Amino acid sequence: MEFIEIAKVCEKVSMTRKRNEKIKIIADFLGKLRPEEVAPSTLLITGKVFSDLEQKPLEVGYVTLIKALNTKKQGTLFQRRLSILDVKKAFEEIASASGKNSRIKKESILKSLLSNASELERKYIIKNIFGEMQHGVGEGLILQAIAYAINANEEEVRKAYMFLGDIGETARVALTGGINAIRNTNLELFRPVKPMLAEMSYNFEEPLREHGGKSAVEIKFDGARVQVHKKGNKIKIYSRRLSDVTESLPDVREEVKNELKAEEAVLDGEVIAIGTEGKPLPFQELMRRFGRIKEVQKKIKEIKLKLYVFDLLYLDGRVLVDETYENRTNKLYDIVGNLSTAPRIIATNVDEIKSFFERAIREGHEGVMAKALRSNYIPGSREKKWFKLKSADTLDLVIVGADWGYGRRTGWLSDYYLAVLNEEKNQFEVVGKTFKGLTDEEFKQMTKRLQELKTRETKHTVFVRPEIVVEVAYSEIQRSPTYSSGYALRFARITRIREDKSAYDIATIKEVKRRYLEQFKYKGKIE
Ligand code: ATP
């Protein structure tokens, strides 16, 4: 099918505000595609280009794009209509252009792509490059459209998506195999699933109340989530974003290989960096190793890592996600050998949780996790089955723009616009600005990275593709008439750069609203 059809669908969905209409338009379109076109089309409609699993950055900067756009349209003699697969292929070539002349290579592929495109097609190619479609179609809506197309229930499709980890692949499975293929989707070795997440709790009573008076309380490590898949001697380690990070963690892989007493297994856990006395080091230290494949051997000597496992999703041919936490962890303890598991207590009263929390903080950890003993493992879900209790209020936000600094910070993009995800509208909305929290070196690096992500600029501000995720501490959330989100963070300060998260893993507007209301439990409400 021709790419113009994707552009037309995007135009059509942006013209209506009715969710049901958007769903029908997309479902109808998906139904007309050839099998090999379904996955790329789904990604192109959402503005993703590549799936999270592929993790291929396009790295097309503003300058490259402008240059390509300014090239005169080539003669029409050899011009042909662009197909969906042509566009996908061109993006693939752009992403894989590397080495010394990569910028020139990228520019030339882009030039030829754009010169074959009509005005409308160009519009959507550019929107894909910048990653913001502004047509109100997020993952949620795509999942509904897939469900509608095959007459399935949305929850079934969402479940399959959490196992597949890729929305394009989910659409392909659904459109080619129908409802049965969706229902039969399950965990498979070497195909990572989205990790189960936790809801924030602001007090020690809530977990016990929700978990029927008994919770397993584990240390919450300040590291990076990993999913380890093993079959015989083959071991792969995946990140929270489901990318393969095995190469950067050969020491962790060796440890699993030597210790794990199972032929086949999928483990869930956290990797942290540790100092000489075994104490946890700041997250930034971990990020010098996690996912970095340059000079691995040298870095292994400099930064020691430690793996803590806390869940078991698969064991010797059996998927365990539908078993209880209690059963899963019992099986885990049987096979871990000398691997470390997350220290935990089974708590039945608030004081036990409180003193375990205090111990966690004293030992340099982030807080604790409280898990329901009878809960199954639901990939990708954030529910009350798991709670996190932390000492500081932070939100993960994405940088969407930055102002040039002045005074000591002249020449640096140093005042950042921070945004949350509006899941309904699939857009990023500003909740605050900050110039606090980064070191001079980090300001310099951030300036460079932001310039590469530039989408437009004014005299004082550079607007960027939403890609860099930061953890932000704040003192209070207020209502805001100025920011598009309707909320503003007071005294926002960046506490870390979260290389392990994508823009779609950040705080949602719903979460900000929940936290805003939560504040009034402790103080009076002033509207
Ligand atoms: P945060 O920003 O607090 O790390 P998150 O959005 O990355 O949160 P959450 O579900 O909110 O994810 O918090 C759970 C995270 O805490 C997990 O993704 C994991 O990386 C980490 N973690 C540390 N220790 C544990 C543990 N014992 N059990 C589960 N998760 C743990």
Side-chain angles (χ1 to χ4, degrees), residues 285-300:
E285 292 297 317
L286 171 68
M287 284 298 121
R288 288 175 51 208
R289 277 210 47 200
F290 196 81
R292 311 273 156 123
I293 48 174
K294 271 197 204 142
E295 302 181 331
V296 177
Q297 290 310 328
K298 187 170 156 241
K299 286 186 189 152
I300 287 182

Side-chain angles (χ1 to χ4, degrees), residues 382-435:
R382 193 187 287 282
E383 291 180 27
K384 292 180 189 307
K385 295 181 177 189
W386 285 15
F387 281 108
K388 54 180 171 180
L389 292 114
K390 303 202 277 191
S391 55
D393 257 357
T394 59
L395 283 169
D396 291 327
L397 304 170
V398 70
I399 298 180
V400 292
D403 288 343
W404 289 104
Y406 48 86
R408 215 177 68 75
R409 289 180 281 112
T410 302
W412 295 339
L413 284 167
S414 52
D415 199 1
Y416 306 113
Y417 291 80
L418 308 164
V420 286
L421 175 66
N422 182 326
E423 280 184 307
E424 287 280 307
K425 297 189 189 153
N426 194 36
Q427 65 191 30
F428 297 98
E429 295 177 347
V430 174
V431 282
K433 252 182 106 182
T434 191
F435 54 85

